[in-house]
Amino acid sequence: MKLALLLSLGAATMALSMPVAAQFQKPEDALKYRQSALSVMGTHFSRLGLMANGRVPFDARLAQENAAIVETMSKLPWAGFGPETERITSGTKARPDIWMDNAKFKQASENMMAEVVKLNAAAKTGNLDQVRAAFGSTAASCKACHDAFRN
Ligand code: ASC
């Protein structure tokens, strides 16, 4: 009984200390995860964009809600780009450069996350001009990564 408890505690500790990437059961699950995270992030970023670009009236509370979701989502996709996913060639626009120049890809992801932190701060001010400026810089960081790493 004691041994069984020790073994299960050991297994639980190992599972908790495993990197997130190792928690996907198969590479296709990681692909689905990163595409889902990017899709949700894009949905909420686009809603902010409609306000930033004056296509829908600016609503400070809605802008804050969307920016907060964007910030949370911005942290998630990267775990789904593990090396085990490099071999997936269908159903993805990911370029091999992601894994061949992974430092550059990581830098691009960090640039985007840093812009998103600023976007969230701008949304909290409730000032449309600040949201507009931060939205533009964030969109540029999305585009930079897409240009370099997405087909
Ligand atoms: C979006 C969205 C992106 C970025 C990108 C910015 O709204 O879904 O991927 O903005 O188009 O250039």
Side-chain angles (χ1 to χ4, degrees), residues 51-82:
M51 289 187 265
N53 296 320
R55 294 208 278 136
V56 307
F58 182 62
D59 177 324
R61 192 183 59 83
L62 271 182
Q64 277 179 36
E65 282 179 10
N66 282 298
I69 294 169
V70 170
E71 184 175 346
T72 299
M73 297 313 296
S74 73
K75 298 170 189 164
L76 302 184
W78 321 116
F81 284 96

Side-chain angles (χ1 to χ4, degrees), residues 19-124:
V20 174
Q23 290 174 4
F24 296 110
Q25 292 202 354
K26 49 187 197 301
E28 286 72 18
D29 292 349
L31 172 65
K32 188 173 174 187
Y33 176 89
R34 76 192 190 209
Q35 289 178 337
S36 304
L38 287 161
S39 172
V40 172
M41 180 166 62
T43 296
H44 292 275
F45 187 62
S46 298
R47 290 179 188 169
L48 264 174
L50 292 174
M51 289 187 265
N53 296 320
R55 294 208 278 136
V56 307
F58 182 62
D59 177 324
R61 192 183 59 83
L62 271 182
Q64 277 179 36
E65 282 179 10
N66 282 298
I69 294 169
V70 170
E71 184 175 346
T72 299
M73 297 313 296
S74 73
K75 298 170 189 164
L76 302 184
W78 321 116
F81 284 96
E84 76 283 3
T85 64
E86 182 175 1
R87 65 163 180 77
I88 305 175
T89 50
S90 73
T92 174
K93 297 181 197 164
R95 285 195 198 143
D97 308 70
I98 290 170
W99 298 278
M100 292 183 324
D101 195 352
N102 197 249
K104 191 180 162 199
F105 179 68
K106 190 163 186 285
Q107 184 62 59
S109 74
E110 283 166 3
N111 290 347
M112 183 277 273
M113 287 189 278
E115 293 302 338
V116 166
V117 168
K118 291 188 234 168
L119 177 64
N120 199 10
K124 283 181 179 159

